[in-house]
Amino acid sequence: MFTTAHKPPYTAVIFTSVRPVGETAQVDGYSEAAQRMDELAREQPGFLGNDSVRDENGYGITVSYWKDEHSARAWKQVQEHLHAQSTGRKKWYKNYSVHVATVNRAYSG
Amino acid sequence: MFTTAHKPPYTAVIFTSVRPVGETAQVDGYSEAAQRMDELAREQPGFLGNDSVRDENGYGITVSYWKDEHSARAWKQVQEHLHAQSTGRKKWYKNYSVHVATVNRAYSG
């Protein structure tokens, strides 16, 4: 289930990425690392939620929510996460983008 | 392809939604409306990009990017879009959430 609205302001990190599809993508260690990063993120101070969707063409959007900019930046610097980011750039992603944003309004229905 | 980084600040509207899966979902008019809304959004003043991913379980994340908060709000009020939002709440989505945020940093790789 997706993260519900919290009381603004807080921080959203929008990560889009394109993965290869096919057999190679099944065995490059990405799935295991993605699951581990999700678990590790949830243990970090200021973590509010992590929503992730990837379609059959390899297009993915992940949005993680944090109490503030400080906690989002701290997560980026966690050693195991730094290693995953590096592997992502070299091996897992054809391309990616990151948007760090301050949530001003949020609602669920 | 996903929207690349623009020069901050600008506005991101993060829309998460859960759709039913299966036969009914194929014939409820959602696909046509989603495509039409994408086209219509691209015609609006201040539009910067629209990234959308939905997986096979019906989980979707769409992020639209706008020049500023004003243009994002104006898009929300476009008549045809208001109608789609209403139909979405009544018929297309099991649940949804909206986060409106100001992008402070953005980069692509």
Side-chain angles (χ1 to χ4, degrees):
Chain A
M1 188 46 56
F2 286 127
T3 307
T4 51
H6 286 71
K7 188 170 184 291
Y10 51 103
T11 296
V13 180
I14 305 162
F15 177 68
T16 65
S17 63
V18 183
R19 288 264 301 144
V21 290
E23 283 182 26
T24 309
Q26 308 293 323
V27 295
D28 67 359
Y30 170 76
S31 300
E32 298 79 1
Q35 189 181 332
R36 170 65 185 147
M37 286 307 114
D38 183 72
E39 290 166 7
L40 192 60
R42 289 171 196 280
E43 296 169 6
Q44 304 306 310
F47 175 87
L48 296 178
N50 194 36
D51 298 342
S52 197
V53 171
R54 189 170 302 278
D55 71 17
E56 70 278 11
N57 298 314
Y59 285 73
I61 301 178
T62 296
V63 186
S64 64
Y65 296 99
W66 300 88
K67 182 170 176 282
D68 49 30
E69 176 94 15
H70 175 76
S71 51
R73 280 181 188 267
W75 163 235
K76 185 169 166 50
Q77 297 303 324
V78 168
Q79 194 61 40
E80 199 175 336
H81 188 205
L82 284 172
H83 181 71
Q85 289 168 61
S86 170
T87 310
R89 285 191 296 268
K90 288 182 210 156
K91 183 171 151 184
W92 290 326
Y93 303 124
K94 293 205 258 186
N95 56 64
Y96 67 92
S97 72
V98 178
H99 288 82
V100 183
T102 304
V103 176
N104 308 311
R105 284 181 289 141
Y107 52 94
S108 302
Chain B
M1 188 45 56
F2 286 127
T3 306
T4 51
H6 286 71
K7 189 170 183 294
Y10 51 103
T11 296
V13 180
I14 306 160
F15 178 69
T16 66
S17 63
V18 184
R19 289 262 301 143
V21 290
E23 282 182 28
T24 309
Q26 307 294 323
V27 295
D28 67 359
Y30 170 77
S31 299
E32 298 80 0
Q35 189 180 333
R36 169 65 184 149
M37 285 308 114
D38 183 73
E39 290 166 5
L40 193 59
R42 289 172 195 280
E43 296 169 6
Q44 304 305 310
F47 175 87
L48 296 178
N50 194 37
D51 297 343
S52 197
V53 172
R54 188 171 303 278
D55 71 17
E56 71 278 10
N57 298 314
Y59 285 72
I61 302 178
T62 296
V63 186
S64 64
Y65 297 99
W66 300 89
K67 183 170 175 282
D68 50 29
E69 176 94 13
H70 174 77
S71 52
R73 280 183 189 266
W75 164 235
K76 185 168 164 51
Q77 296 304 323
V78 169
Q79 195 60 41
E80 200 176 335
H81 188 205
L82 285 171
H83 181 70
Q85 290 169 60
S86 170
T87 310
R89 286 190 296 268
K90 287 182 210 156
K91 182 170 152 185
W92 291 326
Y93 302 123
K94 293 205 258 186
N95 56 64
Y96 67 92
S97 72
V98 178
H99 288 82
V100 183
T102 304
V103 176
N104 307 311
R105 285 180 289 141
Y107 52 95
S108 302

